[in-house]
Amino acid sequence: MEKQYLNQFYKKSRVERVEALRLAGVLSQEDYDLLTLDHLKLADEVADRMIENVVAKYELPFGIAMNFVVDGEELLVPMVTEEPSVVAASSNAGKMIGASGGFQTEMETRLLIGQIVLKNVPDMTAAANLVQEKEVEMIELANASHPSILKYGGGARKVTARIIEADEEYESPA
């Protein structure tokens, strides 16, 4: 990050801030182009895919909290809020914490969960039992598809099956 472009960030106009982020190497050209458009609007089709029952859309200001150091790396934190003091207070807190070494993160175990949904299965209990019977085979197959992940301590470790009663509204027609 080329920090010299971010000096006096809060004193710059919106367009100048976006340009400073681009010059600092924080924004790609594509992101820069999107952020410099006037009247950027969320299309109805996009809003309908994001949440249910959309009746309106509104805009909120998009700001950048400065001065964050996380695991020794200086970061800018994007924030969307209508509260005027949140970005300034966050930047100030980042500066104070950064002066003491910043935030340090630690992860004891890295775990991700993947889920597969099966619909219209005539005998869910039999399907769940089959999944459990084939657990070792499925783990081996999953790990064989990306063997390099095992070198880094990753890979599939466990397969379980749960039967969840779906709401009638979301069940597929037979």
Side-chain angles (χ1 to χ4, degrees):
M1 179 175 15
E2 306 272 342
K3 287 186 66 172
Q4 71 267 21
Y5 297 107
L6 304 178
N7 291 335
Q8 303 292 306
F9 193 76
Y10 68 98
K11 290 184 178 179
K12 298 180 187 301
S13 70
R14 184 189 72 79
V15 173
E16 291 169 332
R17 287 185 199 119
V18 175
E19 176 68 9
L21 291 170
R22 186 185 66 76
L23 292 171
V26 176
L27 289 180
S28 67
Q29 185 64 45
E30 181 182 8
D31 289 339
Y32 171 82
D33 292 343
L34 287 172
L35 289 173
T36 54
L37 287 175
D38 285 335
H39 310 298
L40 187 63
K41 302 279 186 208
L42 179 63
D44 288 347
E45 300 80 32
V46 174
D48 275 334
R49 289 188 185 112
M50 293 172 70
I51 65 168
E52 293 182 44
N53 306 327
V54 173
V55 296
K57 301 167 290 185
Y58 65 95
E59 296 181 15
L60 288 173
F62 186 132
I64 301 290
M66 312 289 285
N67 309 314
F68 279 79
V69 177
V70 179
D71 295 333
E73 182 181 355
E74 294 184 52
L75 300 173
L76 303 178
V77 179
M79 301 181 92
V80 175
T81 179
E82 82 292 350
E83 178 59 43
S85 62
V86 170
V87 176
S90 297
S91 295
N92 188 41
K95 187 175 189 177
M96 289 189 291
I97 294 168
S100 299
F103 296 93
Q104 301 298 314
T105 63
E106 183 179 306
M107 184 172 21
E108 292 179 20
T109 305
R110 187 177 188 141
L111 294 176
L112 298 174
I113 297 173
Q115 298 185 37
I116 299 172
V117 176
L118 302 175
K119 292 179 164 184
N120 301 322
V121 176
D123 187 343
M124 281 292 203
T125 302
N129 291 337
L130 182 60
V131 166
Q132 290 309 140
E133 288 172 23
K134 300 288 185 176
E135 178 182 14
V136 172
E137 186 179 332
M138 286 190 284
I139 290 172
E140 289 172 355
L141 184 62
N143 288 336
S145 68
H146 295 283
S148 63
I149 200 167
L150 298 173
K151 289 185 234 176
Y152 301 102
R157 297 182 183 160
K158 182 178 175 183
V159 174
T160 59
R162 298 185 296 158
I163 299 174
I164 300 172
E165 296 298 323
D167 292 339
E168 287 180 27
E169 177 182 354
Y170 297 106
E171 287 185 10
S172 299

